[in-house]
Amino acid sequence: LGPQAQSFKKTNTAERVQVLTQALLALPRFTKRVLAVGLDLASCSVALWAALALRLETLTPPASAFAITVAVSIAIAIPVFWLMGLYRAVFRHSGGRALRIMAKAVTIYGSLFGLVVTIVGLHGVPRSIGITQPMILFLLLGGSRWFIRNWLGSQIAASGDDRTSKAVLIYGAGEAGQRLASNLGSSSGWRFVGFLDDDKSLWGATIDGGRVHNPATVARVVDKHEV
């Protein structure tokens, strides 16, 4: 083993996770997109397996029907997701806006996939799969992105990287404010900590990982987060 490998072997589990996280974040953008596509390919397959298992009440759906339908699902999903911009989003900074884009992308995918399965028909594949598989896929896509975002965020915070960045509050929690929060999150020099908004109904809510505060409490919030 080389010096780096020996050093890695001596570290504890938490330190190893942080090292692997930093290595993941340091990957080229193209490599990250390839990994994201691979994750979605797996999600399409798992969603189809789950849909068939629920419909046929068996954990081993017909291999031929499964293979053909997976191919159709992937052939529709990846181009739609790519054109909708799902792979331009940075997972650790994606929030409400990214979720809305994903919902639109899955809706378009579900319409096309349902058209093929329900109207055209695939041999040995129940037509109801055209409805249930996109629903399960949406849950898997949203869940995987939520997990990655929170996991990476916790690892970055634990490594102390955020302590060198400047904490920022955004006035206005509307669409423009949420876009700004996402853009700030893409820069290592800024740390988004929350919103200020005049809308009383939003006070205390969490949007894109940031709490919405009453503007009257700005002095306390600024002091707490060292904004």
Side-chain angles (χ1 to χ4, degrees):
L1 295 175
Q4 292 182 339
Q6 292 179 355
S7 176
F8 181 79
K9 188 176 180 180
K10 293 178 181 178
T11 59
N12 57 39
T13 302
E15 292 173 336
R16 291 180 183 179
V17 171
Q18 287 186 8
V19 170
L20 292 174
T21 301
Q22 294 302 321
L24 177 62
L25 293 175
L27 290 174
R29 179 62 59 85
F30 177 77
T31 304
K32 292 178 182 177
R33 287 180 176 176
V34 170
L35 292 176
V37 171
L39 179 63
D40 288 352
L41 291 177
S43 296
C44 286
S45 301
V46 173
L48 179 60
W49 171 83
L52 286 171
L54 290 172
R55 175 62 178 81
L56 302 176
E57 299 183 354
T58 175
L59 296 178
T60 55
S64 59
F66 179 78
I68 294 173
T69 316
V70 164
V72 172
S73 174
I74 291 173
I76 297 173
I78 301 306
V80 169
F81 295 169
W82 191 279
L83 292 174
M84 290 295 294
L86 258 63
Y87 304 119
R88 289 196 296 270
V90 182
F91 277 25
R92 62 188 171 115
H93 300 308
S94 60
R97 183 169 179 268
L99 182 63
R100 289 192 293 272
I101 294 175
M102 186 180 69
K104 292 179 181 178
V106 175
T107 299
I108 295 173
Y109 158 78
S111 300
L112 296 175
F113 181 75
L115 181 67
V116 173
V117 175
T118 305
I119 298 180
V120 178
L122 296 174
H123 180 68
V125 179
R127 297 182 186 276
S128 61
I129 298 302
I131 298 175
T132 55
Q133 194 264 1
M135 295 172 62
I136 297 173
L137 179 60
F138 177 76
L139 295 177
L140 290 176
L141 294 179
S144 63
R145 281 156 172 77
W146 177 87
F147 173 79
I148 292 173
R149 177 190 178 188
N150 285 273
W151 177 67
L152 289 178
S154 65
Q155 293 302 316
I156 292 171
S159 68
D161 287 351
D162 279 349
R163 288 178 290 184
T164 59
S165 59
K166 296 180 180 179
V168 176
L169 276 171
I170 296 176
Y171 202 110
E175 185 175 349
Q178 292 176 35
R179 260 200 310 269
L180 178 57
S182 179
N183 291 335
L184 285 175
S186 301
S187 171
S188 59
W190 305 98
R191 177 165 50 92
F192 166 62
V193 296
F195 294 99
L196 298 172
D197 201 286
D198 296 323
D199 187 347
K200 295 181 180 180
S201 65
L202 295 178
W203 295 350
T206 299
I207 300 176
D208 285 359
R211 190 178 180 85
V212 182
H213 302 277
N214 179 352
T217 65
V218 62
R220 178 177 57 81
V221 178
V222 166
D223 182 64
K224 179 182 177 180
H225 295 285
E226 298 182 348
V227 175

